[in-house]
């Protein structure tokens, strides 16, 4: 095709584009709405992904891609300029304080250059990083508060810390500080490099521990894929390896940031997420398709004459297709930017709502270009898909049609109408309803698509309503076993695995002293207790979590006692109050309360209360032995040699096994089989579990570490106690946290509101699309029939009758959508109920059509009002004027 | 040498008892530079004939040769391109593109073909048809006669082999009809165009060099 004819095609499409103002406004709105839907989806998705990564990075303590560890000065200089490395940072570890006030904290004293500090989130909110050659240091607010130093720049502080085993006391001048982040494990004190060197010189530090005084090279690559591969490539290039010391002296330890690894892991493996996303995308494309297709379809069929005429003059089908494509592109260029801006705003709101319901994900708003590129791309694809058929239709228009038809009219009439004999001629003639129905039949695809498009929003609204209505608070609160439960904060955090925090007895006694409170402690023991189980059982239990080789390795490491293996076991010591909350499967718990040598075996069940029959090996009446280990020893499984306590087995590569050296075996009888409700369990799966009475537990285990204290409260004291708990443990700075019936209720409503917000948001936008579609269908229908109406009026149809006909048309549209939605809901409802009850354990399905019935009058009103107004606009001009009007 | 000829041209609409022979074997030739009028009553098949001559519709059997080319051997796209190069149309209802101004309408076929217009030639046509003061107007602002003159200019613009005019004066009063027709004839001679005009009006037909009559889908004289 010639290039030079593009100009006239452009001219033609722009000219006819300008002539179709109403269509353009509606299309731009439709494209903008579609783009809004995509942008919201992308914004929420990308923000969650970003937030997820950020939380990981904070747990890891940084977001550099990886690091080469413990390098000499020469190695550092050699590696840092490798072309694979985009940016690098330097860190020199200096020491760690261990004495008061830091005995419970992990604090690292080191030098970090600007990059490293930034990548480790060590960015001063006040002041700056230390300057070389000064006595400055920067640290976080927690270290300062532990030291009892006011966070004022210029204040001096003194710390005693161990440098490669040597103790030193140093005084620094505070030059900057930042907030302490409780997700990050470590606190940091940053010194200038010069100061670290002074300390090393003063103490004669050689780096015996393999860490102190060496350099860490933290690196950023071009992107986060293949981090490990890149690091190994760099090492190879310079003649190093990261396999292990036993592979040669050229060993350099490397670390890959698992924050990126797990993010990628999530991306690539979570098929259900991908499927769900794809489904939502398809839904949006479909929504957009329904309206944009309809608009173009209507527009083309109204312009049949125009396209036919162009054809007669010699415009080819391909040129006509280009005219339409160009218009679609112009409309997208207007609609998409509007949609992106509005969509991002809505997306930010939605992200806030969704993220607040997700555990362990930081609330961040992604500004990734992927959001805007992705949303634009998908919107364009939607527009392109929507225009395909109308384009083809326009290109196929026969020139003869254009010459022949002076009026946009029906393509295909019924082949033959039976001629009526005189007696058969209906008395009433054409009724308004019949005419309206016939009119809707003129462009069947327009009618059908408009109706579907309108129904769509109501279906979404109704599903949202069914969902929100079906979330059953009673079911949800069933799992709450006590009015209150208090423990160390990490116990309640889903994202933390270290739940061994101990609740001090003083806290419990304070609570017990409150008026109207009755509760019980649960003591914990998760290590240094063993059970004796068959290899087969160990394999079965661990086979779910690892490969066959891993399980073999695990079994091998366990001490063999007779034909059994000694495996770790988790024990609960529960006071009567808590014991009473346990659902008993078999046997009874009274023997546990009396304090004899009895235990209950803990079985598990799922959210729906279905017992996992094989989740524990112990049966009622079994005699079992628990071994309490005081000390272990390491030995060589091949030679039997027992290793000394000082030997570092992880470095020497010698084979080793562990076994109990000093221990006590206690025999118990299984008096009951129980489940421990999630809210009062360890809240993670670790090992087989047994429950004991509190006294037996304390006597045998020798520990009295409290896991949590659970209690009920007299009804009239609840508010008072809730307030007390809020003050005591509710603050962000408290080490403790608590859950109450009230906080559970709030969680429930929060969860439900998330669905209501997201669902009604979607219904609102899709609803606007539907109504827009309807508006377009009605408007274009009236505009195209201007002359026809004038004709009808000239032969005696009154304006009132004409209005009646148009309103009837609108009502039929609206009414059909309501009927279709009702049918869909009634048919799909039972199907959806199974799916939903499978997804949410606290869901009870109730069929409801209330939203449809509420929306129905609104729809019918719209169905009546839009035609009325549109016609009013047309009727401004006289019948004669309209009859004369040339096309 | 004949610039346009038909060979046993037939067009049948419907089938079985509803079969209608719109054209029942039409044979005639038009020489280069001739002004021929085809006359027939309503339903005689003259419009169908014009559609066939212009390649707007395909015959049931038979063929049409324009400028030595058997046009129905061409595929749709190729036929469209052939049409815009070789055939100029003038319709009863003008069929101007409402969103383009007069000048753009005239140039449309040439530009669709990707060619650059012969400016002197176009200017000549515009002057001959008296349109020079109307070039920027949109078709809706013109009288019927003016619109038809634009249509004639458009038909001439691509220097076609033949101009097909379908009741070109059907929508015009008799005075304007005379004017338009004279212009059509004059420009035809001036630019040595072959013109085939369809009409039901004997008086108008008499302005042509030759009159072909058609009735019930057959040439009668």
């Amino acid at each position: 095709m010639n290039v030079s004819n593009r100009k006239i095609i452009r001219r033609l499409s722009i000219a006819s584009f300008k002539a179709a103002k109403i269509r353009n406004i509606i299309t731009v709105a439709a494209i903008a709405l579609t783009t809004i839907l995509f942008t919201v989806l992308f914004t929420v998705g990308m923000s969650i992904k970003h937030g997820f990564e950020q939380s990981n990075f904070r747990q890891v303590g940084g977001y550099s891609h990886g690091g080469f560890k413990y390098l000499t000065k020469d190695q550092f200089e050699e590696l840092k300029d490798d072309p694979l490395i985009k940016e690098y940072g330097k860190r020199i570890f200096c020491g760690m304080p261990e004495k008061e006030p830091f005995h419970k904290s992990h604090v690292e004293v080191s030098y970090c250059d600007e990059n490293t500090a930034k990548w480790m989130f060590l960015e001063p909110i006040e002041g700056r990083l230390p300057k070389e050659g000064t006595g400055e240091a920067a640290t976080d607010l927690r270290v300062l508060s532990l030291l009892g130093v006011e966070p004022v720049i210029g204040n001096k502080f003194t710390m005693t810390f161990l440098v490669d085993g040597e103790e030193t006391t140093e005084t620094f001048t505070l030059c900057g500080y930042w907030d302490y982040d409780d997700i990050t494990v470590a606190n940091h004190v940053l010194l200038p490099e010069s100061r670290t060197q002074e300390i090393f010189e003063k103490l004669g530090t050689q780096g015996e521990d393999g860490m102190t005084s060496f350099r860490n090279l933290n690196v950023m690559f071009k992107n986060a894929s293949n981090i490990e591969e890149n690091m190994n490539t760099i090492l190879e290039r310079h003649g190093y390896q990261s396999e292990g010391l036993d592979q040669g002296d050229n060993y350099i330890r490397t670390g890959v940031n698992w924050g990126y690894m797990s993010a990628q892991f999530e991306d690539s493996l979570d098929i259900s997420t991908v499927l769900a996303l794809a489904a939502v995308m398809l839904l949006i494309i479909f929504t957009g398709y329904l309206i944009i297709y309809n608009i173009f379809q209507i527009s083309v069929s109204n312009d049949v004459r125009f396209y036919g005429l162009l054809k007669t003059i010699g415009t080819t089908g391909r040129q006509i297709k280009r005219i339409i494509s160009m218009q679609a592109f112009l409309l997208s260029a207007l609609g998409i930017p509007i949609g992106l801006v509005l969509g991002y705003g809505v997306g930010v709101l939605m992200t806030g709502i969704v993220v607040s319901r997700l555990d362990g994900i930081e609330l961040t708003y992604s500004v990734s270009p992927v959001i805007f590129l992705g949303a634009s791309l998908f919107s364009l694809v939607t527009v392109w898909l929507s225009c395909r058929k109308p384009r083809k239709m326009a290109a196929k228009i026969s020139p003869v049609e254009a010459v022949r038809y002076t009026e946009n009219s029906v393509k295909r009439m019924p082949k033959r109408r039976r001629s009526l004999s005189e007696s058969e001629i209906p008395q009433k003639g054409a009724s308004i309803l019949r005419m309206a129905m016939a009119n809707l039949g003129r462009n069947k695809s327009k009618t059908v698509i408009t109706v579907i498009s309108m129904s769509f929003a109501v279906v979404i609204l109704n599903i949202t309503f069914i969902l929100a209505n079906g979330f059953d608070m009673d079911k949800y609160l069933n799992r709450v076993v006590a009015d209150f439960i208090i423990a160390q904060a990490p116990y309640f955090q889903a994202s933390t695995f270290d739940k061994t925090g101990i609740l001090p007895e003083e806290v419990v006694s304070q609570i017990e002293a409150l008026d109207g409170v009755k509760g019980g402690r649960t003591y914990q023991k998760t290590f240094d207790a063993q059970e004796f189980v068959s290899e087969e059982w160990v394999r079965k239990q661990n086979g779910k979590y690892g490969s066959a080789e891993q399980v073999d390795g695990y079994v091998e490491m366990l001490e063999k006692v007779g034909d059994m293996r000694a495996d770790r076991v988790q024990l609960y010591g529960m006071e009567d109050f808590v014991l009473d909350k346990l659902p008993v499967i078999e046997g009874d718990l009274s023997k546990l309360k009396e304090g004899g040598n009895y235990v209950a075996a803990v079985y598990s069940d799922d959210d729906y209360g279905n017992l996992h029959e094989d989740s524990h090996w112990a049966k009622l009446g079994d005699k079992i032995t628990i071994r309490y280990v005081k000390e272990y020893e390491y030995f060589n499984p091949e030679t039997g040699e027992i290793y000394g306590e000082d030997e570092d087995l992880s470095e020497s590569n010698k084979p080793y096994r562990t076994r109990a050296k000093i221990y006590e075996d206690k025999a118990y009888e299984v008096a009951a089989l129980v489940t421990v409700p999630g809210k009062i369990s360890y809240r993670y799966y670790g090992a087989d579990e047994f429950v004991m009475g509190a006294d037996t537990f304390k006597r045998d285990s020798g520990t009295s570490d409290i896991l949590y204290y659970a209690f009920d409260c007299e009804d009239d004291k609840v508010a008072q106690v809730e307030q007390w708990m809020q003050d005591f443990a509710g603050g962000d700075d408290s080490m403790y946290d608590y859950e109450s019936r009230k906080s559970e209720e709030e969680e429930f409503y929060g969860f439900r509101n998330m669905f209501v917000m997201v669902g009604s948001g979607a219904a609102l936008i899709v609803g606007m699309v539907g109504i827009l579609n309807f508006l377009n269908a009605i408007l274009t229908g009236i505009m195209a029939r201007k002359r026809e109406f004038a004709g009808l009026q000239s032969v005696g149809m009154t304006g009132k009758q004409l209005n009646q006909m148009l309103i009837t048309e609108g009502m039929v549209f609206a009414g059909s959508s309501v009927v279709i939605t009702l049918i869909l809901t009634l048919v799909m409802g039972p199907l959806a109920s199974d799916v939903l009850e499978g997804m949410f354990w606290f869901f009870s399905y109730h069929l409801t059509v209330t939203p449809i019935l509420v929306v129905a009058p609104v729809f019918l009103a719209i169905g009546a009002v839009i035609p009325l107004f549109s016609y009013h606009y047309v009727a401004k001009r006289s019948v004669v004027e309209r009859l004369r009007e040339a096309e | 040498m004949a610039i346009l000829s038909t060979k046993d041209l037939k067009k049948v609409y419907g089938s079985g008892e509803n079969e209608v022979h719109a054209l029942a074997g039409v044979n005639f030739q038009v020489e280069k530079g001739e002004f021929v009028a085809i006359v027939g009553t309503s339903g005689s098949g003259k419009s169908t004939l014009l559609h066939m001559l212009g390649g707007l519709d395909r015959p049931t059997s038979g063929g049409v040769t324009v400028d030595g080319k058997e046009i129905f051997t061409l595929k749709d796209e190729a036929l469209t391109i052939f049409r815009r190069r070789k055939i100029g149309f003038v319709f009863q209802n003008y069929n101007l593109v409402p969103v383009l101004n007069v000048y753009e309408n005239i140039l449309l076929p040439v530009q669709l073909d990707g060619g650059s217009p012969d400016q002197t030639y176009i200017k000549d046509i515009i002057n001959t048809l008296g349109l020079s003061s109307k070039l920027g107007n949109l078709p809706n602002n013109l009288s019927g006669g003016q619109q038809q003159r634009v249509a004639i200019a458009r038909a001439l613009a691509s220097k076609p082999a033949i101009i097909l005019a379908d009741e070109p004066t059907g929508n015009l009063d008799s005075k304007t009809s005379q004017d338009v027709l004279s212009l059509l004839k004059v420009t035809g001679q001036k630019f040595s165009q072959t013109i085939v005009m369809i009409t039901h009006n004997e008086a108008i037909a008499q302005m042509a060099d030759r009159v072909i009559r058609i009735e019930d889908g057959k040439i009668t004289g």
Side-chain angles (χ1 to χ4, degrees):
Chain A
M1 188 169 295
N2 285 321
V3 182
S4 48
N5 66 8
R6 283 184 191 259
K7 220 171 100 193
I8 184 63
I9 295 296
R10 197 178 314 137
R11 175 78 190 92
L12 262 176
S13 55
I14 290 172
S16 55
F17 176 83
K18 281 184 185 154
K21 275 210 186 74
I22 295 177
R23 182 205 68 180
N24 291 346
I25 294 171
I26 293 178
T27 317
V28 166
I31 294 175
L33 286 170
T34 309
T35 313
I36 287 178
L37 288 170
F38 279 121
T39 314
V40 169
L41 183 69
F42 273 95
T43 309
V44 174
M46 292 298 290
S47 294
I48 288 178
K49 181 174 179 282
H50 187 246
F52 182 75
E53 277 178 0
Q54 285 301 308
S55 318
N56 279 341
F57 296 152
R58 281 166 60 202
Q59 277 183 51
V60 174
Y63 62 93
S64 62
H65 287 148
F68 299 98
K69 306 200 164 172
Y70 317 129
L71 309 175
T72 64
K73 198 174 174 186
D74 294 341
Q75 284 174 330
F76 183 90
E77 294 300 324
E78 190 183 346
L79 294 180
K80 79 175 173 34
D81 294 323
D82 191 284
L84 268 176
I85 299 173
K86 203 180 131 224
E87 273 185 289
Y88 71 89
K90 181 178 183 181
R91 177 163 192 250
I92 300 173
F93 178 74
C94 180
M96 277 162 97
E98 292 196 332
K99 292 203 176 130
E100 291 253 30
F102 297 113
H103 59 294
K104 276 174 160 178
S105 315
H106 179 104
V107 180
E108 295 185 5
V109 181
S110 64
Y111 160 73
C112 289
D113 68 0
E114 221 168 293
N115 275 347
T116 307
K118 185 175 82 189
W119 297 340
M120 288 169 73
F121 305 106
L122 308 179
E123 293 186 287
I125 48 167
E126 198 65 52
R128 50 169 173 75
L129 293 175
K131 270 200 180 125
E132 287 303 314
T134 65
E136 294 175 341
T139 187
D140 63 50
L141 289 170
R142 179 148 184 267
V143 170
L144 290 175
S145 94
L146 286 171
L147 283 165
V149 173
E150 284 292 311
V152 175
I153 303 294
N155 274 2
K156 299 224 183 295
F157 62 98
T158 303
M159 301 176 61
T160 301
F161 50 95
L162 283 177
V163 178
D164 199 12
E166 298 280 327
E167 200 173 85
T168 181
T169 302
E170 306 282 331
T171 299
F172 309 108
T173 308
L174 186 66
C175 66
Y177 57 84
W178 52 86
D179 276 326
Y180 169 63
D181 177 356
D182 55 4
I183 293 185
T184 311
V185 189
N187 304 79
H188 292 270
V189 178
L190 299 188
L191 312 181
E193 187 174 9
S194 56
R195 183 65 177 270
T196 61
Q197 298 309 319
E198 277 169 37
I199 296 172
F200 297 147
E201 269 166 43
K202 186 174 80 185
L203 302 174
T205 307
Q206 296 296 318
E208 300 273 324
D209 60 0
M211 287 160 46
T212 313
S213 82
F214 289 104
R215 283 153 183 76
N216 279 356
L217 173 63
N218 296 315
V219 294
M220 282 290 204
F221 298 111
K222 217 163 69 200
N223 57 52
S225 48
N226 306 324
I227 296 174
E228 191 167 8
E229 216 179 294
N230 283 344
M231 297 194 68
N232 286 332
T233 311
I234 294 174
L235 286 183
E236 257 169 54
R237 276 191 206 167
H238 297 91
Y240 298 104
Q241 48 90 10
S242 59
E243 300 287 311
L245 255 184
D246 50 335
Q247 301 290 318
D249 288 342
N250 58 352
Y251 172 66
I252 285 181
R253 195 184 282 258
T254 56
V256 174
N257 190 336
W258 61 261
Y260 290 103
M261 306 279 285
S262 69
Q264 279 168 7
F265 188 73
E266 288 278 323
D267 278 352
S268 57
L269 279 191
D270 200 342
I271 290 172
S272 61
T273 309
V274 172
L275 283 180
L277 267 177
V280 176
M281 294 270 211
L282 278 178
L283 218 70
I284 300 175
I285 291 179
F286 184 62
T287 312
Y289 178 85
L290 281 183
I291 182 165
I292 301 169
Y293 167 77
N294 210 22
I295 294 172
F296 273 94
Q297 199 265 123
I298 294 171
S299 158
V300 166
S301 53
N302 284 352
D303 290 344
V304 164
R305 257 192 93 227
F306 173 69
Y307 292 114
L309 163 61
L310 286 180
K311 265 238 166 130
T312 317
I313 297 165
T315 316
T316 62
R318 266 161 75 187
Q319 287 172 324
I320 287 179
K321 279 185 181 178
R322 268 226 315 271
I323 290 175
I324 293 177
S325 301
M326 218 173 277
Q327 295 189 9
F329 180 77
L330 271 173
L331 292 164
S332 303
L334 288 169
I336 289 178
I338 298 174
L340 288 178
V341 171
L342 293 178
Y344 190 70
V346 179
V348 162
L349 283 177
M350 286 285 177
T351 307
I353 295 167
V354 173
V355 167
S356 67
R357 292 291 110 210
L358 297 171
D359 253 330
I361 289 186
E362 200 176 332
L363 176 58
T364 58
Y365 302 113
S366 170
V367 287
S368 163
V370 173
I371 295 174
F372 304 101
L373 290 177
S376 312
L377 184 75
F378 274 93
S379 298
L380 276 176
V381 167
T382 309
V383 173
W384 180 77
L385 283 175
S386 312
C387 291
R388 267 182 56 178
K389 258 182 87 182
R391 266 171 25 140
K392 228 184 235 166
M393 202 170 102
K396 282 233 171 93
I397 287 169
S398 133
V400 179
E401 244 166 87
V403 182
R404 224 176 253 161
Y405 294 140
T406 48
E407 198 58 70
N408 160 49
S409 59
V410 205
K411 308 279 143 40
R412 248 169 273 135
M413 276 299 200
K415 267 203 179 138
R416 220 171 2 150
R417 284 213 170 128
R418 199 163 62 92
S419 56
L420 299 171
S421 69
E422 209 162 310
S423 62
E424 277 179 312
I425 293 174
Q427 293 302 303
K428 287 180 90 178
S431 84
I432 301 277
L433 178 66
R434 266 229 311 258
M435 277 179 78
M437 292 302 276
N439 284 336
L440 293 178
R442 284 185 180 193
N443 188 339
K444 286 212 182 62
S445 98
K446 166 176 108 176
T447 310
V448 169
I449 286 180
T450 309
V451 167
I452 293 178
S453 175
M454 286 173 84
S455 313
F456 212 42
V458 191
V459 170
I460 292 179
L461 188 69
N462 208 49
I463 289 175
T464 307
F465 198 80
I466 287 180
L467 257 179
N469 215 30
F471 288 151
D472 187 335
M473 189 159 84
D474 289 339
K475 258 192 194 176
Y476 189 81
L477 290 183
N478 257 344
R479 64 185 189 143
V480 178
V481 292
D483 290 352
F484 293 91
I485 176 165
I486 180 169
Q488 290 268 352
Y491 174 77
F492 298 102
Q493 279 166 15
S495 54
T496 317
F497 293 103
D498 180 19
K499 300 195 183 264
T500 48
I502 298 161
L503 184 71
E505 178 60 36
E506 302 88 78
V507 173
V508 178
S509 35
Q510 273 185 64
I511 296 170
E512 280 182 319
L514 295 176
D515 204 15
V517 161
K518 186 175 167 300
R521 300 165 183 76
T522 290
Y523 300 99
Q524 55 175 324
K525 189 166 184 67
T526 54
F527 49 89
D528 298 345
Q530 295 178 331
E531 62 175 354
F532 300 100
V533 286
S534 66
E535 274 187 27
E536 188 197 350
W537 173 257
V538 178
R539 276 179 211 286
K540 198 175 130 238
Q541 285 304 90
N542 291 281
K544 297 170 225 163
Y545 308 108
S547 65
E549 292 82 43
Q550 284 168 323
V551 174
D552 281 344
Y554 179 75
V555 171
E556 270 314 299
M557 292 303 286
L558 298 176
E559 184 186 350
K560 212 166 175 171
V561 179
D563 2 321
M564 304 298 244
R565 294 279 183 173
D567 196 2
R568 199 172 70 84
V569 70
Q570 295 186 164
L571 303 177
Y572 297 97
M574 290 178 175
E575 292 187 333
D576 294 357
F577 176 86
V578 190
L579 282 177
D580 286 337
K581 305 285 185 187
L582 300 182
V584 177
I585 305 158
E586 225 182 321
D588 80 283
L589 292 168
S590 54
K591 285 177 177 164
L592 269 71
K593 295 178 186 170
E594 283 154 18
N597 289 340
Y598 295 100
V599 294
V602 178
Y603 279 72
S604 63
D605 57 7
D606 62 18
D607 281 335
Y608 299 89
N610 303 314
L611 187 70
H612 297 145
E613 300 273 1
D614 55 352
S615 55
H616 205 295
W617 53 270
K619 302 278 171 276
L620 193 66
D622 280 0
K623 303 271 189 279
I624 67 143
T625 303
I626 302 282
R627 170 171 289 183
Y628 300 94
V629 184
K630 302 232 162 29
E631 201 181 317
Y632 295 93
E633 64 184 5
Y634 296 91
F635 65 100
N636 187 322
E638 287 153 23
T639 62
E641 173 202 0
I642 295 170
Y643 296 121
E645 267 181 47
D646 304 334
E647 207 148 349
D648 189 348
L649 292 163
S650 59
E651 288 290 322
S652 68
N653 238 26
K654 286 188 204 162
Y656 69 91
R657 296 278 183 277
T658 324
R659 68 183 165 218
K661 186 176 168 196
I662 305 173
Y663 58 85
E664 204 175 347
D665 285 351
K666 295 270 168 129
Y668 302 93
E669 187 185 321
V670 177
L673 310 182
V674 296
T675 58
V676 176
K679 291 272 162 192
I680 53 170
S681 71
Y682 279 111
R683 300 196 175 199
Y684 69 95
Y685 177 78
D688 293 336
E689 295 179 338
F690 288 101
V691 175
M692 296 178 183
D695 295 332
T696 312
F697 176 90
K698 283 192 279 187
R699 183 193 71 202
D700 292 348
S701 71
T703 50
S704 53
D705 295 344
I706 301 173
L707 176 65
Y708 59 79
Y709 180 68
F711 60 97
D712 285 342
C713 178
E714 286 169 20
D715 288 348
D716 52 336
K717 303 285 191 316
V718 169
Q720 209 178 319
V721 172
E722 180 84 44
Q723 189 56 48
W724 190 91
M725 293 291 281
Q726 175 62 35
D727 295 343
F728 178 74
D732 279 341
D733 50 348
S734 173
M735 308 162 65
Y736 313 114
D737 205 349
Y738 75 103
E739 282 174 357
S740 65
R741 232 173 254 283
K742 194 171 151 239
S743 66
E744 292 293 321
E745 271 172 35
E746 278 164 8
E747 192 178 314
F748 172 81
Y749 285 121
F751 188 76
R752 200 173 78 171
N753 282 345
M754 174 179 83
F755 278 90
V756 172
M757 296 290 289
V758 172
S760 36
L764 184 75
I765 296 180
V766 175
M768 282 163 76
V769 170
I771 288 173
L772 206 56
N773 214 342
F774 174 63
L775 180 77
N776 183 57
I778 291 289
L779 259 180
T780 50
I782 290 173
M783 300 304 272
R785 287 182 289 164
K786 268 191 283 188
R787 291 242 314 256
E788 185 183 319
F789 292 162
L792 283 170
Q793 281 175 297
S794 71
V795 298
M797 194 177 203
T798 64
K800 204 175 149 199
Q801 284 172 320
L802 197 52
N803 267 331
Q804 271 176 1
M805 185 183 86
L806 291 174
I807 291 173
T808 313
E809 286 179 32
M811 302 279 259
V812 171
F813 267 117
S816 328
S817 335
V818 172
V819 170
I820 284 185
T821 317
L822 270 172
I823 293 173
L824 269 178
T825 309
L826 293 175
V827 173
M828 304 287 284
L831 284 173
S833 98
D834 287 348
V835 176
L836 292 172
E837 278 172 8
M839 266 159 68
F840 306 104
W841 57 270
F842 51 96
F843 185 87
S844 313
Y845 179 80
H846 309 287
L847 178 70
T848 169
V849 291
T850 319
I852 303 178
L853 299 180
V854 170
V855 166
V858 178
F859 263 36
L860 290 175
I862 293 174
V865 168
I866 290 182
L868 256 181
F869 274 95
S870 316
Y871 175 68
H872 186 72
Y873 170 75
V874 173
K876 272 189 215 151
R877 295 194 293 165
S878 78
V879 175
V880 179
E881 263 182 307
R882 278 182 279 149
L883 268 176
R884 277 212 184 136
E885 188 181 274
E887 264 294 307
Chain B
M1 177 211 145
I3 191 112
L4 171 69
S5 66
T6 65
K7 196 181 154 220
D8 207 18
L9 201 57
K10 284 185 183 160
K11 180 69 179 180
V12 182
Y13 290 112
S15 62
E17 55 176 297
N18 290 326
E19 209 170 78
V20 177
H21 292 261
L23 293 179
V26 172
N27 290 292
F28 72 94
Q29 295 192 339
V30 177
E31 298 301 319
K32 193 167 166 31
E34 248 188 319
F35 182 2
V36 177
I38 298 175
V39 188
T41 53
S42 171
S44 60
K46 58 187 193 307
S47 281
T48 308
L49 177 59
L50 187 91
H51 292 156
M52 298 298 154
L53 297 181
L56 294 176
D57 203 354
R58 286 176 186 273
T60 311
S61 68
V64 172
T65 308
V66 176
D67 204 11
K69 183 84 197 166
E70 171 64 58
I71 63 173
F72 294 115
T73 58
L74 297 169
K75 293 227 171 73
D76 274 356
E77 290 282 292
L79 181 55
T80 304
I81 292 169
F82 182 83
R83 187 164 64 228
R84 77 184 174 207
R85 287 180 186 162
K86 297 289 182 187
I87 301 167
F89 281 99
V90 178
F91 295 101
Q92 174 175 1
N93 49 9
Y94 331 127
N95 277 341
L96 299 176
V97 179
V99 295
L100 298 182
N101 66 29
V102 167
Y103 187 62
E104 288 169 330
N105 261 294
I106 294 173
L107 288 191
L108 188 61
V110 183
Q111 288 184 320
L112 280 174
D113 204 37
S116 52
D118 175 345
Q119 290 295 347
T120 15
Y121 172 68
I122 300 282
K123 216 178 248 172
D124 201 357
I125 295 174
I126 290 170
N127 288 334
T128 312
L129 289 164
L131 290 169
S132 28
S133 63
K134 303 287 180 193
L135 292 181
N137 289 29
L138 288 177
N140 287 345
N141 301 332
L142 300 180
S143 70
Q146 286 167 333
Q147 289 196 48
Q148 198 57 300
R149 279 187 273 149
V150 177
I152 293 169
R154 181 177 67 187
L156 287 166
S158 56
K159 298 184 187 166
I162 49 170
I163 289 178
L164 297 177
D166 185 4
E167 299 274 12
T169 58
N171 281 357
L172 304 174
D173 58 55
S174 51
K175 169 78 176 64
T176 320
S177 296
Q178 283 298 328
D179 292 349
V180 166
L181 227 51
S182 321
L183 272 173
L184 185 62
K185 194 169 177 182
V186 169
T187 47
Q189 279 161 358
K190 180 167 177 186
F191 302 108
S192 19
Q193 283 294 336
T194 312
I195 299 173
V196 176
M197 176 178 71
I198 281 189
T199 181
H200 64 276
N201 186 326
E202 281 289 344
I204 282 171
Q206 290 315 315
M207 292 187 71
D209 302 340
R210 177 153 71 101
V211 177
I212 296 174
R213 280 170 219 288
I214 182 166
E215 202 157 335
D216 293 333
K218 287 189 194 113
I219 306 274
T220 55

